[in-house]
């Protein structure tokens, strides 16, 4: 048997070029990820170009070939490569070729569908006046054959039209490849991922100049530079790239086809008003996202999802007139009140506000309470926590027991447990001052404060036991 060479370069991928039809190589390596590449007359691993060698597959294929009696030579070269710009240009060129091929297939399918339909219409003309099949007449056989041919051609016409639609969609996707690939917002999200990958490889690599991580760092830096250049070109062409400097709390942002009031401006995202019960809504304010217990619901949106900004005062003026601004009106309002001006005004207003006297926290007073209870348990533990979320040294944990014949659910979800916790807090002179938050250790935690005297005497909670447990999970 002739020697079989498995080669890998970053430029060409993983290939077997010296195999001929009938030598049995294909039957062996097809189970290890190799496929025939008819355009170059070789066997290879799909999508292996511009990547590290998949040594696991290569070694498995080599072992299988050697077990079949072949002599195998393995050549792996990780340094022979093409630049990212060359690879990207090749991908675009191949997308154009795909679009042409798919367009031809769609055209042939449409033509076949039309021909099938025309054949069915032509045959059906003999029945156009409602002539029935005459049972026992000499024309019965022909009439039944014609009916079957009409049915077959109509079905084939529908199948061909579906196939044409499939190839038309593939054509559109191939034609839009470069447009979607170079979309600035998609590119910004891609850059975030690439930079994270680069940081991970740099942490693993240290100061090494050779090896897998070093090659990955080189490739990632080259790709990042390519996409950063594309972003700078888009900015020069007038594409707006939004960032934290473009917003102030209280602004409204157009994202996901709706306007949302901005609660916080973060380095990578905006925290926007969010209330699932009201979504989708044309304009969602922080008032819309405020729950009965005072909790303000928010959700984060990436700056790449932003389509427009509208200052808070301008939005409320629009709403007072019964209008929802479009992007043009919002842009004009934004130009009239830039975010830096709004932030400066907010900072000045904050300075003029009287300062609240600082109150020293009493270390003897617990700051939180934690309720621990496993699913379906009959016992729960209430632990008072200090400011560091550690068990308070002056308060022993309290064990609660479910009523006879009953069991708790997880943490504060159980109505029985919720009532017992509320009664315990009232008895100790405390009240829950926020929402319960679930923890991974089968517990729920909520902040507490000393309850005013009147609260401890009056049953104003939903269970009639004084200060109610405001359970965010119920």
């Amino acid at each position: 048997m002739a020697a079989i060479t498995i080669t890998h370069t970053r430029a060409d991928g993983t290939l077997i070029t010296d195999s001929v039809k009938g030598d049995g190589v294909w039957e062996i390596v097809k189970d290890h990820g190799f496929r025939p590449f008819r355009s170059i007359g070789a066997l290879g691993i799909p999508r292996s170009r511009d990547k590290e060698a998949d040594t696991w597959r290569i070694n498995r294929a080599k072992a299988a070939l050697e077990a079949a009696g072949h002599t195998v030579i393995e050549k792996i070269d990780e340094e022979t490569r093409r630049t990212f710009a060359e690879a990207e240009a090749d991908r675009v060129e191949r997308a154009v070729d795909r679009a042409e091929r798919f367009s031809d297939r769609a055209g042939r399918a449409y033509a076949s569908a039309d021909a099938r339909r025309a054949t069915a219409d032509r045959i059906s003309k003999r029945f156009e006046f409602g002539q029935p099949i005459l049972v026992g007449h000499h024309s019965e056989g022909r009439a039944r054959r014609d009916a079957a041919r009409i049915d077959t051609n109509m079905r084939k016409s529908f199948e061909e039209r579906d196939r044409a639609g499939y190839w038309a969609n593939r054509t559109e996707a191939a034609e839009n490849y470069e447009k979607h690939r170079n979309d600035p917002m998609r590119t910004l999200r891609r850059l975030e991922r690439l930079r994270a990958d680069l940081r991970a490889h740099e942490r693993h690599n240290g100061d090494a100049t050779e090896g897998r991580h070093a090659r990955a760092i080189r490739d990632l830096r080259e790709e990042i530079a390519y996409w950063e250049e594309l972003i700078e070109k888009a900015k020069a062409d007038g594409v707006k790239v939004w960032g934290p400097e473009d917003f102030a709390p209280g602004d409204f942002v157009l994202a996901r086809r709706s306007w949302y009031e901005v609660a916080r401006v973060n380095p990578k995202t905006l925290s926007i008003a969010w209330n699932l019960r009201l979504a989708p809504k044309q304009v969602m304010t922080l008032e819309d996202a405020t729950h009965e217990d005072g909790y303000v619901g928010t959700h984060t949106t990436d700056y790449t999802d932003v389509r427009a900004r509208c200052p808070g005062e301008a939005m409320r003026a629009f709403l007072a007139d019964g209008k929802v601004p479009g992007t043009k009106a919002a842009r004009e309002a934004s130009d009239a009140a830039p975010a830096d001006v709004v932030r400066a005004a907010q900072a000045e207003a904050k300075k003029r506000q009287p300062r609240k006297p600082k109150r020293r926290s009493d270390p003897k007073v617990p700051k939180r309470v934690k309720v621990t209870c496993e699913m379906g348990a009959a016992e729960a533990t209430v632990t008072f926590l200090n400011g560091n979320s550690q068990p308070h040294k002056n308060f022993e944990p309290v064990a609660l027991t479910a009523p006879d014949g009953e069991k708790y659910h997880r943490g504060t979800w159980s109505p029985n447990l919720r009532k017992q916790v509320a009664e315990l807090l009232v008895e100790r002179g405390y009240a829950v001052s926020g929402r319960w938050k679930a923890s991974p250790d089968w517990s729920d935690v909520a902040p507490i404060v000393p309850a005013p005297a009147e609260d401890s005497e009056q049953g104003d909670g939903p269970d009639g036991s004084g200060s109610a447990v405001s359970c965010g999970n119920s």
Side-chain angles (χ1 to χ4, degrees), residues 285-354:
T285 65
L286 289 173
E287 291 82 0
D288 295 329
T290 303
H291 296 248
E292 293 180 357
D293 59 0
Y295 172 78
V296 179
T298 60
H299 189 64
T300 57
T301 187
D302 194 89
Y303 288 108
T304 57
D305 294 326
V306 173
R307 295 296 173 264
R309 167 192 176 258
C310 184
E313 291 186 6
M315 176 60 74
R316 285 176 169 77
F318 282 120
L319 296 178
D321 293 337
K323 300 177 181 178
V324 175
T327 55
K328 182 178 180 181
R331 188 182 308 113
E332 294 174 354
S334 181
D335 293 340
D340 56 348
V341 175
V342 175
R343 288 196 299 270
Q346 291 174 346
E348 186 64 27
K350 188 175 181 180
K351 289 180 181 179
R352 292 196 298 267
Q353 292 178 352

Side-chain angles (χ1 to χ4, degrees), residues 126 138 141 185 237 248 254 288 316 319 367 375 380 420 441:
R126 61 174 298 196
H138 65 83
M185 299 303 111
D237 293 340
L254 179 62
D288 295 329
R316 285 176 169 77
L319 296 178
K367 304 301 185 293
M375 183 72 74
Q420 288 179 293
D441 59 346

Side-chain angles (χ1 to χ4, degrees), residues 398-421:
V398 179
L400 300 178
T401 304
D404 292 340
E406 297 184 14
K407 290 186 178 180
Y408 296 135
H409 299 297
R410 179 176 183 267
T412 55
W413 289 2
S414 170
N416 288 332
L417 180 56
R418 195 161 61 240
K419 181 178 178 180
Q420 288 179 293
V421 172

Side-chain angles (χ1 to χ4, degrees), residues 183-259:
D183 178 77
M185 299 303 111
R186 292 173 182 264
T187 301
L188 286 170
R189 292 191 287 270
R190 186 183 302 119
L191 278 169
E192 286 293 324
R193 175 179 55 79
L194 292 172
R195 288 167 181 150
D197 291 345
L198 176 60
R199 291 192 295 270
H201 281 289
E202 288 175 338
R203 286 194 299 270
H204 283 287
N205 189 61
D207 298 329
T209 58
E210 297 181 354
R212 180 172 64 88
H213 291 294
R215 290 191 295 269
I217 290 171
R218 175 196 62 194
D219 295 344
L220 285 168
R221 286 175 177 170
E222 182 180 321
E223 184 175 357
I224 288 171
Y226 178 91
W227 294 121
E228 287 177 339
E229 183 180 349
L230 186 145
I231 292 296
E232 292 303 318
K233 183 177 182 301
K235 289 180 179 179
D237 293 340
V239 175
K240 175 61 178 175
V241 177
W242 298 91
E245 68 279 359
D246 297 312
F247 292 93
D251 287 345
F252 282 78
V253 58
L254 179 62
R256 309 185 192 96
R257 302 183 181 181
S258 296
W259 288 97

Side-chain angles (χ1 to χ4, degrees), residues 347-362:
E348 186 64 27
K350 188 175 181 180
K351 289 180 181 179
R352 292 196 298 267
Q353 292 178 352
R355 292 186 178 182
K356 296 181 180 179
K358 293 184 178 180
R359 294 185 300 177
R360 292 180 59 85
S361 176
D362 187 352

